[in-house]
């Protein structure tokens, strides 16, 4: 429906009544800054001097009650609602492609409780994760969620996109770190998930909303786990002759215990990024491992790690490179170090069991390099489980078409090729960045008839289809 | 807007980067997406490309405190303060300033002071009269202190008297240029203000700065502009810290969190005198982000046009002090004190150096 000036102003007054006039904005600066996230296409669009689709109004509620009022208004007038946390997502999940209302969650940043008896922090979903980490640190604890976007993304953003941090192998993904959530449903009802995350009281409500990218509701509060600071954290750098022995060594160590950091870089990434930032000059596949926790246990783990990796011919490079990597782990992502426009690039992270992962890597590399000879392909493997691991594989194109629409065509064709190759060989659409508008079209290809579970939920919870339209393939 | 090549490069580096979002005191206080370095750069990058009008983003350019927290945080050396100052200069040149900034500039043109209703408080005039005779030492108060924190400025004069030093306070103090630089960047007017102030400073052997913002501009920027100051330059905080023995301070054991103004914590790297003062009067308890990582607790000049945001900034800093277990947040910047003095926070009170030591 087209909104004339009269009706728009009327809706605006209702929204102002819900959240306060100062928390409702039609200012150009607010619209612009909520229109470009970390998605390459949105950045390219802005780089070419084009406005991305913008919200008609940006609304900043303080809590679930105000969020509920906003969603009731939006539902009545059937206005699209896109939720914005930090806007640091790479998949275009936070871009208001259909205009309407952007709900920015960052005023919901309160730390309600630091519960050291049950080891969690209860906070608003708009809290920046680094601030939650600071709150934990002040009491002597840590959140152990350390992605490169720690400084900029919110608790809700990580939950909505199933984020992951660099010590995930030991401490888990964001979906392992949450106890309970408060969510506002599209009709304005405020719900809380189960009081404990492990139970047999039916399906897991947390896991229905985690990764739903604002299509089923808005997360407004969460209880996030905190951990004791490790007594020791030991780093060890290794150089493997080939990727196959590295996968085998990694899999074997995971049957014995869980390191915190495990990052295996393919030969191309070892020879580029790792050489540049960490200083490893040798040829091969670099792997950085950290073990941590209680000293006595960790000493034994380090011994087992060295023995196991030796069996697979890994050269022990000592602690220095790993320590340097830890220090620089976020530096990688600052402008000037990170790949940036005018280059085209994308991270096609996927995950699979060990019996498939190496093939997926090789097939994706082959598919990208053969079909798109202008693209370079680099990869690392950074989150490991007892049964498999993920690939963080990236393509980089230096010579990008000048016409933004042509650039979009090339970009989407490379993505289609990469993700379809992953799917064909047993991978998934994405490991930890989410789906957004970037990969929505490929969700049906992964899930087939299983997709009806998601569409059924969507129809039931959001019959007017107002919540983050065109995302997640819903 | 005619940005220099350097500013263009910095704008284009910051426009898609949020790595310093968490330390922007304005963004933290307001929760607004537009309040961080990336947001300002993104808006300006569209203006640079002709896709947006300067006036549409002008207000956002003035929502930055120029506190340099982002500059310090940036691992690859990009500098939002640089391009924000340039944007302010360009907006002024093009006559596209927000009306409230225009008003402050009008004040400056008429009275040499950016603050409106710039009438001096009677007790301050009295205190100044006691120090009207020329000595070797000038106590430079700053316009923020004179017009927005006058009661405390009187106390600061009293505290300085107690050290036994003979000093002069100028009857009509000129602007150091810090406030005008804040409004329109590094322009001819700013440098003229600097030259004018330098004339006064050079009449003295020593200058004691009450306002760290003045100390910073004189020490750092005057040199850049080729304006020489030969006097010995000392901050009020460091002077008091060095003369604590003359002040017979009683230690009451109260938990005190030193609030480093960014001009001292980050720019001049002078953080220990404030702690020495705090340790003399109580026990020092550190906020999580201190010294070079400090957050501002307020800004007198910004309070002129965004008082509610400054209140929120102050509340956030009080929260940091409370989390550190402090009962007192000790400020040494009149610009910050002008804001925090009017904000109530359960369990923590804000005191200036003078208030703490004269209590
Ligand atoms: S100053 Fe550095 S960290 Fe901040 S936005 Fe710019 S590039 Fe990013
Ligand atoms: S200078 Fe300070 S207020 Fe301005 S963007 Fe940087 S951190 Fe924020």
């Amino acid at each position: 429906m087209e909104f004339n000036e009269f009706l728009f102003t009327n809706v605006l007054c209702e929204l102002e009544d819900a959240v306060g006039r100062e928390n409702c904005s039609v200012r150009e600066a607010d619209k612009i800054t909520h229109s470009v996230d970390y998605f390459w296409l949105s950045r390219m669009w802005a780089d070419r001097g084009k406005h991305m689709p913008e919200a008609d109004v940006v609304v900043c509620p303080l809590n679930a009650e105000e969020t509920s009022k906003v969603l009731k208004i939006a539902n009545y007038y059937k206005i699209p609602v896109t939720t914005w946390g930090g806007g640091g997502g790479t998949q275009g999940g936070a871009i208001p492609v259909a205009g309407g209302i952007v709900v920015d969650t960052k005023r919901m940043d309160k730390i309600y409780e630091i519960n050291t008896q049950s080891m969690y922090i209860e906070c608003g979903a708009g809290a920046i994760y680094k601030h939650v980490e600071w709150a934990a640190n002040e009491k002597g604890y840590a959140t152990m969620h350390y992605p490169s976007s720690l400084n900029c993304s919110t608790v809700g953003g990580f939950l909505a996109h199933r984020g992951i941090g660099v010590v995930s192998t030991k401490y888990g993904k964001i979906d392992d770190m949450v106890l309970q959530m408060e969510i506002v449903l599209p009709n304005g009802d405020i719900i809380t998930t189960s009081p404990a995350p492990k139970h047999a009281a039916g399906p897991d409500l947390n896991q229905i909303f985690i990764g739903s990218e604002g299509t089923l509701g808005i997360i407004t509060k969460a209880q996030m786990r905190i951990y004791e600071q490790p007594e020791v954290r030991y780093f060890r750098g290794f150089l493997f002759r080939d990727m196959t022995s590295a996968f085998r060594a990694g899999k074997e160590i995971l049957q014995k215990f869980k390191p915190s950091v495990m990052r295996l870089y393919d030969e191309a990434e070892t020879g580029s990024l790792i050489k540049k930032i960490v200083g490893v000059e040798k040829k091969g596949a670099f792997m950085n491992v950290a073990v941590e926790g209680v000293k006595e246990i960790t000493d034994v783990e380090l011994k087992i790690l060295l023995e196991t990796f030796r069996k697979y011919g890994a050269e022990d490079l000592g602690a220095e490179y790993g320590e340097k990597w830890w220090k620089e782990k976020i530096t990688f992502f600052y402008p000037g170090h990170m790949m940036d426009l005018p280059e085209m690039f994308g991270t096609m992270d996927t995950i699979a069991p060990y019996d498939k992962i190496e093939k997926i890597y090789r097939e994706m590399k082959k598919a990208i390099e053969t079909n798109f000879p202008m693209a370079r392909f680099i990869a690392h493997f950074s989150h490991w489980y007892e049964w498999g691991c993920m690939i963080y594989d990236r393509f980089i194109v230096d010579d990008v078409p000048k016409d933004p629409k042509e650039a979009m065509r090339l970009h989407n064709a490379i993505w289609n090729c990469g993700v379809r190759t992953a799917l064909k060989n047993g991978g998934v659409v994405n490991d930890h960045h989410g789906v957004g508008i970037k990969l929505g079209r490929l969700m049906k290809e992964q899930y087939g008839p299983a997709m009806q579970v998601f569409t059924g939920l969507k129809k039931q919870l959001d019959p007017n289809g107002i919540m983050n339209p065109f995302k997640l393939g819903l | 807007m005619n940005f220099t090549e350097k500013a263009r490069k910095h704008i284009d580096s910051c426009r898609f980067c949020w790595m310093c979002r968490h330390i922007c005191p304005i963004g933290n206080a307001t929760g607004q997406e537009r309040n961080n370095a990336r947001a300002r750069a993104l808006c300006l990058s569209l203006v640079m490309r002709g896709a947006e009008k300067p006036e549409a983003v002008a207000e956002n350019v003035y929502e930055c405190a120029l506190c340099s927290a982002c500059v310090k945080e940036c691992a690859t050396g990009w500098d939002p303060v640089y391009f924000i100052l340039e944007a302010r200069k360009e907006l002024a040149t093009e006559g596209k300033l927000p009306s409230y900034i225009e008003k402050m500039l009008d004040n400056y043109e008429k009275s040499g002071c950016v603050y409106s209703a710039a009438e001096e408080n009677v007790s301050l005039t009295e205190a100044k009269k006691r120090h009207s005779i020329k000595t070797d030492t000038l106590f430079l108060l700053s316009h923020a202190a004179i017009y927005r924190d006058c009661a405390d400025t009187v106390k600061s004069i009293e505290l300085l008297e107690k050290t036994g030093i003979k000093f002069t306070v100028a009857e009509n103090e000129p602007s150091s240029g810090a406030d005008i630089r804040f409004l329109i960047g590094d322009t001819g007017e700013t440098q003229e203000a600097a030259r004018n102030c330098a004339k006064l400073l050079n009449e003295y052997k020593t200058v004691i700065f009450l306002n760290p913002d003045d100390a910073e501009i004189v020490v750092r920027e005057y040199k850049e502009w080729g304006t020489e100051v030969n006097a010995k330059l000392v901050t009020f905080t460091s002077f008091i810290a060095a003369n604590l023995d003359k002040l017979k301070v009683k230690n009451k054991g109260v938990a005190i969190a030193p609030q480093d103004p960014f001009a001292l914590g980050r720019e001049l790297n002078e953080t220990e005198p404030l702690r020495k003062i705090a340790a003399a009067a109580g026990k020092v308890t550190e906020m999580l982000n201190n010294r070079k990582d400090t957050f501002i607790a307020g800004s007198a000049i910004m309070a002129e046009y965004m008082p509610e945001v400054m209140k929120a900034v102050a509340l956030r800093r009080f929260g940091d002090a409370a989390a550190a277990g402090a009962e007192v947040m000790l400020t040494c910047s009149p610009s910050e004190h002008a804001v925090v003095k009017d904000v109530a926070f359960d369990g923590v009170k804000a005191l200036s150096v003078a208030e703490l030591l004269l209590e």
Side-chain angles (χ1 to χ4, degrees):
Chain A
M1 181 176 74
E2 268 292 298
F3 274 72
N4 55 54
E5 194 187 353
F6 177 85
L7 188 56
F8 178 76
T9 312
N10 202 51
V11 175
L12 191 58
C13 291
E14 283 192 47
L15 291 168
E16 287 172 355
D17 182 52
V19 300
R21 190 168 176 185
E22 64 286 10
N23 300 308
C24 227
S25 172
V26 290
R27 276 168 65 164
E28 205 45 50
D30 287 310
K31 293 182 186 179
I32 293 171
T33 51
H34 287 92
S35 70
V36 180
D37 64 357
Y38 211 69
F39 181 22
W40 187 85
L41 282 181
S42 73
R43 295 157 69 180
M44 181 272 290
W45 215 247
D47 181 60
R48 306 284 166 97
K50 289 169 81 73
H51 275 262
M52 279 293 289
E54 288 170 2
D56 297 294
V57 51
V58 177
V59 175
C60 305
L62 184 66
N63 49 34
E65 288 69 30
E66 287 190 4
T67 308
S68 163
K69 287 182 193 168
V70 171
L71 292 190
K72 281 180 184 161
I73 296 166
N75 239 316
Y76 178 76
Y77 291 103
K78 300 189 177 55
I79 303 171
V81 176
T82 304
T83 309
W84 180 284
T90 54
Q91 317 295 73
I95 299 172
V97 286
I101 298 170
V102 159
V103 171
D104 185 318
T105 60
K106 284 193 292 297
R107 279 184 73 232
M108 297 191 263
D109 67 341
K110 195 167 167 182
I111 307 277
Y112 291 95
E113 187 190 3
I114 304 175
N115 190 322
T116 54
Q117 200 177 356
S118 302
M119 297 297 281
Y120 67 81
I121 288 183
E122 183 170 292
C123 58
I128 294 163
Y129 224 97
K130 180 74 174 194
H131 294 169
V132 182
E133 171 71 8
W134 280 345
N137 293 166
E138 261 194 325
K139 300 275 180 217
Y141 299 96
T143 63
M144 297 301 179
H145 180 62
Y146 305 138
S148 56
S149 50
L150 178 69
N151 293 355
C152 57
S153 297
T154 58
V155 170
F158 285 122
L159 287 165
H161 294 267
R162 289 194 176 269
I164 203 168
V166 295
V167 291
S168 67
T169 300
K170 185 177 178 78
Y171 300 99
K173 240 177 143 200
I174 201 79
D175 34 285
D176 303 310
M177 294 178 162
V178 63
L179 301 187
Q180 190 184 35
M181 300 192 299
E182 173 190 78
I183 299 150
V184 182
L185 298 180
N187 66 4
D189 282 353
I190 300 169
I191 63 164
T192 47
T193 59
S194 172
K198 297 286 172 196
H199 56 80
D204 189 341
L205 266 183
N206 273 345
Q207 299 302 331
I208 289 172
F209 289 94
I210 295 173
S212 68
E213 303 187 4
T215 61
L216 304 178
I218 298 179
I219 303 166
T220 47
K221 206 189 265 184
Q223 292 173 349
M224 305 307 301
R225 289 177 64 189
I226 51 173
Y227 302 79
E228 286 198 347
Q229 294 278 13
E231 269 175 39
V232 289
R233 177 177 283 140
Y234 301 136
F235 288 96
R236 215 72 187 187
F238 298 93
L239 199 70
F240 286 91
R241 272 191 306 274
D242 56 72
M243 303 287 288
T244 309
S245 40
F247 282 123
R248 288 191 184 143
K251 178 227 144 188
E252 186 172 329
I253 211 70
L254 260 301
Q255 311 313 307
K256 300 178 196 301
F257 67 91
K258 288 183 176 177
S260 56
V261 176
M262 271 184 88
R263 297 175 86 87
L264 167 67
Y265 295 83
D266 74 351
E267 291 89 338
E269 197 159 337
T270 302
S272 53
L273 263 187
I274 289 297
K275 186 175 164 188
K276 183 175 160 196
I277 298 188
V278 187
V280 175
E281 294 283 346
K282 295 181 178 178
K283 280 206 160 66
F286 175 70
M287 191 174 196
N288 179 27
V289 183
V291 286
E292 64 187 63
V294 177
K295 184 175 184 308
E296 248 178 300
I297 299 172
T298 313
D299 284 344
V300 176
E301 288 179 348
L302 182 63
K303 190 167 155 272
I304 297 170
L305 173 72
L306 292 172
E307 283 166 9
T308 309
F309 277 24
R310 200 176 302 130
K311 274 196 323 201
Y312 292 92
E315 182 185 346
D316 178 4
L317 300 176
E320 186 199 335
Y321 292 119
E323 277 163 7
K324 179 121 198 281
W325 175 88
W326 181 255
K327 227 175 108 228
E328 303 284 350
K329 63 183 184 296
I330 288 190
T331 309
F332 285 85
F333 294 90
Y334 281 81
H337 277 165
M338 182 64 178
M339 48 209 66
D340 206 344
L341 287 157
E343 283 172 330
M344 176 192 287
F345 52 89
T347 301
M348 300 185 288
D349 46 313
T350 188
I351 182 158
Y354 286 119
D355 62 339
K356 301 193 177 75
I357 197 74
E358 197 178 345
K359 181 150 187 255
I360 291 175
Y361 161 65
R362 297 202 188 285
E363 292 298 319
M364 283 177 84
K365 186 172 168 63
K366 192 165 83 191
I368 298 294
E369 288 176 349
T370 337
N371 292 303
F372 304 95
M374 72 296 255
R376 281 174 283 138
F377 184 92
I378 59 174
H380 63 255
F381 302 78
S382 43
H383 306 283
W384 297 62
Y385 305 86
E386 293 90 336
W387 48 267
C389 69
M390 67 77 68
I391 317 179
Y392 193 96
D393 41 4
R394 288 186 274 194
F395 69 85
I396 306 147
V397 176
D398 295 319
D399 197 10
V400 181
K402 294 264 172 308
D403 175 6
K405 290 179 195 154
E406 282 310 308
M408 184 191 272
R409 263 188 199 100
L410 175 65
H411 173 271
N412 289 356
I414 298 178
W415 272 94
N416 285 346
C417 169
V419 175
R420 280 182 180 137
T421 309
L423 295 180
K424 199 169 128 204
N425 290 283
V428 297
V429 164
N430 187 265
D431 176 67
H432 65 260
H433 290 101
V435 177
I437 189 151
K438 185 200 266 181
L439 303 176
R441 63 188 175 277
L442 297 161
M443 284 288 278
K444 288 189 187 78
E445 294 184 29
Q446 178 187 321
Y447 283 101
M451 193 73 190
Q452 69 184 295
V453 179
F454 297 151
T455 49
L457 272 170
K458 174 78 177 170
K459 271 191 197 126
Q460 177 62 31
L461 294 177
D462 181 23
N464 291 324
I466 60 164
M467 302 302 289
N468 212 2
F470 311 119
K471 311 294 171 63
L472 212 61
L474 291 174
Chain B
M1 281 173 155
N2 286 318
F3 286 108
T4 58
E5 204 41 51
K6 182 176 169 187
R8 285 174 175 269
K9 221 170 150 195
H10 285 247
I11 287 170
D12 272 358
S13 297
C14 293
R15 68 192 156 145
F16 304 132
C17 168
W18 283 272
M19 299 305 267
C20 59
R21 175 208 287 288
H22 63 301
I23 45 80
C24 181
I26 309 295
N28 285 346
T30 64
Q32 297 293 341
E33 184 61 42
R34 66 174 185 274
N35 290 148
N36 57 61
R38 164 262 175 188
R40 299 183 220 289
L42 177 61
C43 291
L44 291 173
S45 78
L46 287 178
V47 173
M48 253 159 56
R49 285 163 174 75
E52 194 47 77
K53 291 198 215 81
E55 47 272 44
V57 303
E59 294 209 329
N60 193 31
V61 167
Y62 281 91
E63 288 174 352
C64 169
L66 302 181
C67 75
S68 70
C70 48
V71 184
K72 188 231 99 214
E73 188 69 20
C74 189
T76 37
W78 304 107
D79 187 344
V81 169
Y82 185 88
F83 66 72
I84 293 287
L85 279 172
E86 209 170 296
R88 290 182 185 183
K89 181 177 158 186
E90 286 301 302
L91 288 167
T93 311
E94 293 178 15
K96 290 178 174 154
L97 294 168
S99 56
Y100 44 79
I101 302 296
E102 286 280 14
K103 196 165 157 260
M104 292 170 87
L105 289 172
D106 281 352
N107 295 338
Y108 184 76
E109 209 151 277
K110 283 186 202 130
S111 66
C113 170
V114 299
Y115 296 99
S116 59
E119 242 175 63
E120 201 171 285
N121 173 287
V122 183
S123 50
L124 180 57
T125 311
E126 287 299 311
K128 278 169 70 178
K129 267 193 199 144
R130 297 201 295 271
H131 299 279
S132 56
I133 294 168
K134 176 90 173 23
T135 63
D136 284 348
T137 303
L138 174 71
F139 187 26
L140 194 78
L141 305 177
S142 81
H143 287 174
I146 295 169
Y147 299 111
R148 291 297 179 262
D149 200 26
C150 51
D152 198 62
T153 306
V154 173
K155 286 188 190 143
S156 298
I157 291 173
E158 283 168 19
L159 185 66
L160 201 57
E161 286 165 349
K162 283 188 188 289
T163 66
I165 188 181
K166 293 212 171 347
F167 62 92
T168 305
V169 179
E171 195 191 337
N172 284 313
E173 200 181 277
S175 159
S176 68
D179 39 20
I180 197 78
R181 180 175 188 253
F182 186 91
L183 297 180
I184 53 171
D186 295 342
T187 57
E189 284 101 312
T190 311
Q191 295 188 17
E192 194 188 313
R195 279 193 296 275
N196 188 29
C197 184
K199 261 190 229 151
L200 173 72
L201 306 188
N202 279 328
E203 289 172 19
Y204 295 85
K205 284 193 180 143
T206 304
V207 177
I208 300 173
F209 293 101
L210 179 59
N211 192 336
D213 297 345
D214 288 345
E216 194 263 336
I217 194 170
V218 174
V219 172
R220 298 268 300 263
E221 308 305 330
Y222 278 26
K223 249 193 223 140
E224 293 278 312
W225 301 331
T227 302
E228 286 286 319
V229 174
N230 304 316
K232 185 179 164 207
L233 308 173
V234 210
T235 62
F236 177 65
T237 320
S238 68
F239 186 86
I240 295 297
N243 287 279
L244 278 172
D245 53 330
K246 297 178 188 133
L247 296 171
K248 299 189 189 69
V249 182
K250 257 204 210 127
N251 192 316
K252 294 181 188 153
V254 59
I256 302 173
Q259 161 58 16
D260 300 292
F262 77 89
L264 295 186
R266 269 192 286 282
E267 306 298 340
L268 299 181
N269 200 15
E270 183 191 291
T271 53
E272 299 322 295
L274 188 61
R275 283 160 180 78
K276 199 172 160 199
I277 294 167
K283 67 178 190 299
V284 177
T285 168
E286 293 289 359
M287 291 187 264
L288 194 64
N289 288 283
N290 60 63
R291 297 185 171 84
K292 68 178 182 357
D293 296 324
T294 189
F295 286 123
I296 61 164
S299 153
I301 198 163
M302 290 180 86
E304 294 295 299
Y305 57 92
M306 38 200 286
E308 286 309 311
V309 171
M310 282 305 106
K311 194 174 160 199
V313 164
L315 280 172
R316 195 131 182 138
R317 204 54 178 149
F318 272 114
D320 292 345
E327 297 152 89
V328 168
M329 178 165 74
L330 179 62
T331 63
C332 64
S333 152
S335 176
E336 292 188 320
H337 189 261
V339 175
V340 295
K341 71 177 175 14
D342 295 329
V343 177
F345 188 92
D346 249 6
V348 182
K349 60 179 173 177
L351 293 179
S352 69
V353 167
E355 283 170 331
L356 179 78
L357 299 183
L358 294 174
E359 225 180 18

